[in-house]
Amino acid sequence: MATEREALLEAIRAGDEELSAALVEKMDVAARSGCVPAVTQILRGLRPENEWSVFYAGRLAGLACQSTPAGAAKWVLWINRLRRQEFPASSAEILAGHGPEWLGELAHRLAAELDKERRQFEGTPLHYHLVQNLIGLSGCATPTNFGYAIQRLRFGGLTNPDAPILVPIALEVEGFGAWMGYLGPGLVDMTESGKLDRTALIDQCLGRLFRGGRPHELRGFRRLLDDLTLTDDELADRAGDWARLAADADAPTAGDAVRRLRRLIDAGRLDVGLLGDASRDVLARPEKGLVSAQLKHLGQALRSSTDGAGQLLTAATVAFGHEDNAVQEQAWKLVARHIAKAEPAARAQIVEAVAVLTPDLREQATAALGESTPGSERTRTPYQETLPPVVAPQRASAPPETLPELIGEIVAIVAAPHASTVESERALDGLVRFAHRDRAALAAALRSVPAKQWPWQSEGQVTSQRFPDRQPYPVAGIGVIVLALLLGRLDAESLPVVPPEMSDNGTGFPPQCGHCVFRAAWRARIFEVARAVLADPPPFLLSGPSWRTGVVDTDVLLDRLAEYARLGITAGPADFDQALLRVRIPVGPDRDRLAGAAAALGTAEGTRFAQWLSSGGLTVVEEGTGLALPALREGFTDPFRRLDVLLRKYHNAGPVSQDLPDSSLYHLAARPLDLPQWVATLPLVREYIAAQMISTRAGESDFTYVSDLPLLAAADGPIGPLFHRLLANTLSRGRPDGDMDALLQLIARNEMDAKHVGECLIPRNKRGGRQPAPDLLDLLTEIARIGAHTTAWNILAGALPGLLSASELPRRLGALLSLAADCASTSGATGSIPELDAIADRTGSSQTIKQARRLRQILTEATR
């Protein structure tokens, strides 16, 4: 036995497939089973890129050595995984010595594994052809699992004798519908020859359409139904099914169902009650094309017979509530044309339904019906639009209370590419507080963090970091403080007092953009804290925000200064500067009281705070062609004093192009700060921040701010033309979510002029000419949908003159004018738009012309 085994293994190692098969054939069952482990070991030791002859010989010999169908199936699957090679169909011949039952069981086991193929309709399963040979050798029954059914139809087509059994199975498999285009005509032929049950096939297609799925999947079943050319009897027998599909299926499937219902109407085979019920469901759908088609079908039914006219007319009134005015108008004209056929009860329901028409159509309907309708009272009631509730300001979270909580936040901030401003401010204040309590414990906790969680260590950096004079410093943000606390990891004395990008002496890197200037103010505070934690850290920061926008309450800052005075602590210049820029100045007696209390502290900081309160704090003025903050030029330290100067200098000079040197830690220094950082630095001057965003072109092309605009809206300070322009620029880019929230909040607080926003929506090019008009339909439709018709109209009133005179008219102009007419009618708007006449006076009956005339009529009648 040992000799047979060694001979087989030697033949395999030599790659002799024929000899290996012959040697296995001479062995008994026990000898074969004993060879399997050794053959397995040989194959596992092969290098995947070569030794193919050894692999082929071992693959075949291992299969021949299997004593049970289960073992043989397991071997085939293992070989498939080993080298992803198709198992040759000829391998079945080496198993011919086994009986039909043994071979049939193996065939069914391997066929069942086809269900696990990830891509059923791509490539060739690795053992499909082997299964086919095994079925032929054994004469076993056809496997009926879906994986085998799909592959048999793919490779054998509809001409194979198993097709009648396998087609119904394959039709239930996800994805088969998309592939069925190759089989559709053949399936029709099979029904005509009697190989497939036509009724069962139709019902199965309907079942798949009811189930739903991907568009290309459902398209295959709809095409098959078209190829089958259903008779009137077959359609009528399934009238309820078409009605269900028309109501609930995806739009293309519903469209097919509506067309089949129309065939039944034309043939007089559709029950009026079913037509009415189906119409109610279809007319409630949002798709304009479907609703319009069903209204036409109702018109055909009403022209053909008066039976059930009242039921059909009341069904048509469902379209009175459609969001598209053209659909509402079509529905009303249909009802008006056949109203005489309605019995009194149906007429009463129609009169009640008129209330949901747009005001102009409601007036027409009321006049045509000759009686008062519930909706007619709305024309005499002042319109009240629906705006979201004003969002209350949110308090900032207190600093972390436990050391583990603080360490977790610091690790997350240092590792994250973009830490939020709120999280960074909270962690910065927490670092100072814990350093003041027990700096050694804080440093030990930081050292306990695995090195791989600190970016500068995970990238193999040196153990000492200094900040060079003319190069971008290698770390930034809270990571600077972490390195300062990890003793020996940073020379804190090398940290500059003024970040290089804030310097005006030609050294370092000049500001690349407005981001850099605001980022530098943050770094100045970071450097100050880093130096303090190694010397004598204060018990807390003065600038810690009271609110999420960054604002510090006046009485809170006064209390903090009082504690500093009691402890004899001198405030950090950058920390105190930032606190002053964040403090909200009260008005009236409170300001005088707080200023007196600040002066009474007897410290330099208290005196400066008192003067800041008395002067009114930070004010925005116009200087030259832009806005300025002159209050920063006196009393503030260099970083904040130069903030406004550098921003204006940058904006006047244009962007500076500079190639930044590569640094393995520079990604920490180059984090782009977004709008929350700008607001947190200057939370009381919204118009000024809007000016900076526009000047740095952030409002024109940089969309990192879009979702943060509600934060700017929640900040303080008056709003002017630049804020309107900023919001309009972002609204016109088609990303309405955050922008619309900001707009509606400002409208709800009576801070925003919606018409001015509309005027700003039409940008001009450098020569003053009109640019192509933005597509505003989706945004304004959503605003109107929530009930803010006045806001939507005011934006349109400001935008339409520019839109209609643009070099390129906006897309979907007819729908936009329809929306404008709806909003003007609902809100009771008055006035005129001269640019509208050029379109309204055209000849034709397109929706654009009809809606232009409608809008002009609404505005004209309202003016009267």
Side-chain angles (χ1 to χ4, degrees):
M1 183 178 297
T3 303
E4 291 178 341
R5 177 178 178 276
E6 292 301 328
L8 174 61
L9 298 181
E10 186 62 31
I12 292 173
R13 293 189 185 100
D16 193 331
E17 189 172 353
E18 185 176 348
L19 178 58
S20 299
L23 290 172
V24 172
E25 188 175 358
K26 296 177 182 179
M27 295 180 183
D28 58 25
V29 175
R32 292 179 181 181
S33 298
C35 292
V36 173
V39 176
T40 301
Q41 186 175 1
I42 291 175
L43 295 182
R44 280 179 173 165
L46 295 177
R47 288 173 293 181
E49 68 275 8
N50 54 23
E51 301 179 352
W52 284 103
S53 60
V54 178
F55 171 75
Y56 293 146
R59 174 179 66 179
L60 184 62
L63 177 61
C65 288
Q66 303 300 321
S67 59
T68 65
K74 184 177 180 181
W75 178 264
V76 171
L77 297 175
W78 179 70
I79 290 295
N80 286 349
R81 292 193 300 269
L82 190 62
R83 288 209 174 182
R84 296 298 298 171
Q85 285 258 313
E86 181 179 358
F87 213 102
S90 59
S91 303
E93 297 173 2
I94 203 172
L95 302 174
H98 296 285
E101 185 177 348
W102 194 99
L103 295 174
E105 181 180 347
L106 176 58
H108 277 257
R109 284 179 177 272
L110 291 176
E113 292 294 329
L114 294 174
D115 292 348
K116 301 177 182 178
E117 289 290 329
R118 293 183 179 179
R119 296 182 175 92
Q120 294 284 356
F121 303 97
E122 299 178 18
T124 303
L126 300 183
H127 57 271
Y128 165 72
H129 293 297
L130 174 61
V131 172
Q132 280 302 108
N133 265 14
L134 289 170
I135 292 174
L137 288 172
S138 66
C140 65
T142 300
T144 56
N145 59 295
F146 71 85
Y148 175 78
I150 291 172
Q151 303 310 325
R152 185 74 175 109
L153 291 173
R154 285 185 62 207
F155 292 101
L158 297 177
T159 58
N160 75 80
D162 300 328
I165 301 173
L166 301 179
V167 165
I169 298 171
L171 286 173
E172 295 300 318
V173 179
E174 295 295 331
F176 191 77
W179 189 78
M180 198 167 55
Y182 302 101
L183 303 178
L187 292 174
V188 176
D189 293 341
M190 289 181 69
T191 61
E192 293 176 352
S193 65
K195 294 179 181 179
L196 274 182
D197 186 318
R198 177 182 173 91
T199 300
L201 183 60
I202 294 172
D203 291 339
Q204 194 167 19
C205 288
L206 280 171
R208 288 305 310 272
L209 293 176
F210 280 126
R211 188 195 306 177
R214 296 180 179 179
H216 63 280
E217 170 89 356
L218 301 179
R219 190 182 306 121
F221 292 99
R222 293 198 303 272
R223 286 178 177 174
L224 178 54
L225 288 174
D226 289 339
D227 291 340
L228 288 169
T229 314
L230 305 188
T231 66
D232 287 348
D233 287 339
E234 289 172 332
L235 287 173
D237 290 343
R238 296 168 179 82
D241 293 333
W242 310 127
R244 285 177 55 200
L245 289 173
D248 301 326
D250 63 294
T253 301
D256 278 359
V258 167
R259 285 190 290 274
R260 291 191 168 94
L261 289 174
R262 172 60 186 264
R263 273 188 57 188
L264 292 175
I265 294 173
D266 293 341
R269 301 288 299 273
L270 187 61
D271 178 73
V272 171
L274 179 59
L275 175 59
D277 292 341
S279 297
R280 291 179 185 277
D281 291 332
V282 175
L283 298 180
R285 295 183 63 123
E287 297 92 348
K288 178 181 176 181
L290 278 176
V291 174
S292 180
Q294 189 63 22
L295 286 171
K296 292 179 181 177
H297 300 341
L298 282 177
Q300 173 63 25
L302 287 166
R303 286 191 297 272
S304 302
S305 173
T306 59
D307 294 341
Q311 187 174 358
L312 298 183
L313 288 172
T314 56
T317 62
V318 173
F320 285 3
H322 197 276
E323 63 180 15
D324 191 282
N325 173 263
V327 172
Q328 290 190 23
E329 184 178 13
Q330 180 185 2
W332 162 243
K333 287 182 177 178
L334 171 66
V335 171
R337 190 178 303 117
H338 300 281
I339 189 69
K341 301 177 183 178
E343 60 273 17
R347 182 183 178 88
Q349 293 182 44
I350 294 171
V351 170
E352 185 72 21
V354 165
V356 299
L357 290 169
T358 56
D360 55 320
L361 283 176
R362 191 187 314 139
E363 291 180 6
Q364 294 180 28
T366 299
L369 293 171
E371 54 188 295
S372 176
T373 67
S376 62
E377 299 176 358
R378 299 184 185 183
T379 61
R380 298 188 296 271
T381 303
Y383 168 74
Q384 294 292 327
E385 75 171 346
T386 302
L387 290 170
V390 176
V391 176
Q394 294 182 320
R395 281 278 182 184
S397 301
E401 297 182 356
T402 65
L403 190 53
E405 182 184 3
L406 173 65
I407 299 301
E409 291 191 10
I410 292 172
V411 170
I413 289 172
V414 172
H418 308 293
S420 75
T421 303
V422 174
E423 293 169 344
S424 298
E425 290 282 356
R426 168 183 158 94
L428 183 64
D429 200 5
L431 274 168
V432 170
R433 291 170 184 260
F434 278 96
H436 176 79
R437 298 174 198 169
D438 191 340
R439 184 174 56 212
L442 176 59
L446 289 171
R447 291 192 196 98
S448 68
V449 176
K452 64 181 180 181
Q453 297 197 42
W454 302 122
W456 52 84
Q457 295 202 31
S458 62
E459 299 185 10
Q461 296 308 302
V462 297
T463 59
S464 177
Q465 299 285 349
R466 290 185 59 83
F467 283 79
D469 294 333
R470 291 179 174 270
Q471 296 296 326
Y473 24 86
V475 290
I478 289 176
V480 172
I481 304 171
V482 174
L483 283 177
L485 285 166
L486 295 173
L487 302 179
R489 299 308 305 271
L490 179 71
D491 182 3
E493 294 180 358
S494 69
L495 291 171
V497 174
V498 179
E501 67 265 50
M502 296 300 292
S503 174
D504 199 27
N505 58 10
T507 63
F509 287 85
Q512 296 283 312
C513 61
H515 295 293
C516 302
V517 182
F518 279 97
R519 184 183 300 125
W522 165 254
R523 287 179 183 159
R525 296 171 56 208
I526 291 291
F527 298 158
E528 184 175 271
V529 171
R531 288 188 295 270
V533 295
L534 293 179
D536 188 13
F540 47 78
L541 293 177
L542 296 175
S543 58
S546 303
W547 301 90
R548 290 182 65 86
T549 57
V551 169
V552 176
D553 288 335
T554 315
D555 55 347
V556 170
L557 179 55
L558 181 61
D559 291 342
R560 292 172 181 173
L561 288 173
E563 182 64 13
Y564 268 42
R566 187 184 70 81
L567 297 174
I569 297 175
T570 300
D575 182 35
F576 190 32
D577 283 352
Q578 180 63 87
L580 291 180
L581 295 179
R582 286 177 171 171
V583 70
R584 183 184 287 112
I585 306 298
V587 295
D590 282 344
R591 183 173 69 175
D592 297 335
R593 175 182 60 80
L594 292 168
L601 294 177
T603 62
E605 291 84 359
T607 300
R608 185 180 172 201
F609 185 33
Q611 294 172 348
W612 185 253
L613 288 170
S614 299
S615 67
L618 192 63
T619 55
V620 180
V621 300
E622 292 188 14
E623 288 187 3
T625 59
L627 301 182
L629 303 173
L632 292 177
R633 301 168 196 167
E634 297 182 4
F636 282 80
T637 54
D638 255 4
F640 290 93
R641 179 169 57 85
R642 297 191 179 196
L643 177 70
D644 181 52
V645 176
L646 281 177
L647 278 174
R648 289 188 294 110
K649 178 179 178 180
Y650 163 72
H651 296 155
N652 293 334
V656 179
S657 177
Q658 182 91 36
D659 292 330
L660 297 179
D662 183 25
S663 170
S664 55
L665 293 181
Y666 188 69
H667 67 281
L668 290 175
R671 292 176 180 170
L673 298 184
D674 51 7
L675 181 58
Q677 182 65 56
W678 296 31
V679 174
T681 305
L682 299 172
L684 302 168
V685 284
R686 286 182 293 184
E687 181 74 357
Y688 179 80
I689 293 178
Q692 306 315 314
M693 293 175 68
I694 292 174
S695 297
T696 57
R697 292 186 300 281
E700 304 286 349
S701 60
D702 189 339
F703 297 113
T704 59
Y705 303 105
V706 171
S707 62
D708 294 321
L709 277 177
L711 180 64
L712 182 58
D716 287 318
I719 288 175
L722 294 176
F723 194 103
H724 284 76
R725 176 183 165 193
L726 172 67
L727 183 56
N729 284 345
T730 50
L731 287 173
S732 67
R733 303 296 179 172
R735 297 189 178 188
D737 296 338
D739 299 331
M740 191 177 72
D741 292 341
L743 171 67
L744 294 178
Q745 278 296 305
L746 293 166
I747 296 293
R749 296 201 299 264
N750 199 29
E751 293 181 323
M752 176 67 73
D753 183 346
K755 185 174 182 179
H756 188 34
V757 171
E759 294 169 351
C760 295
L761 280 167
I762 313 304
R764 294 179 179 273
N765 58 31
K766 293 181 179 179
R767 296 182 179 180
R770 297 288 184 185
Q771 292 182 344
D775 188 355
L776 306 174
L777 181 61
D778 293 338
L779 169 71
L780 296 175
T781 298
E782 184 61 28
I783 291 176
R785 183 176 290 121
I786 68 172
H789 291 88
T790 298
T791 296
W793 165 249
N794 286 335
I795 294 175
L796 281 164
L800 279 175
L803 288 172
L804 298 177
S805 61
S807 58
E808 179 182 330
L809 291 176
R811 295 175 54 244
R812 302 184 289 177
L813 179 57
L816 188 66
L817 291 174
S818 174
L819 175 65
D822 290 346
C823 292
S825 178
T826 302
S827 62
T830 61
S832 64
I833 301 176
E835 293 82 359
L836 196 62
D837 294 337
I839 297 176
D841 291 339
R842 293 178 184 174
T843 58
S845 59
S846 69
Q847 278 300 311
T848 298
I849 296 174
K850 290 173 64 176
Q851 294 302 327
R853 293 170 181 169
R854 175 175 168 244
L855 175 58
R856 184 171 64 178
Q857 181 181 1
I858 289 171
L859 295 175
T860 301
E861 291 180 353
T863 303
R864 294 174 186 170

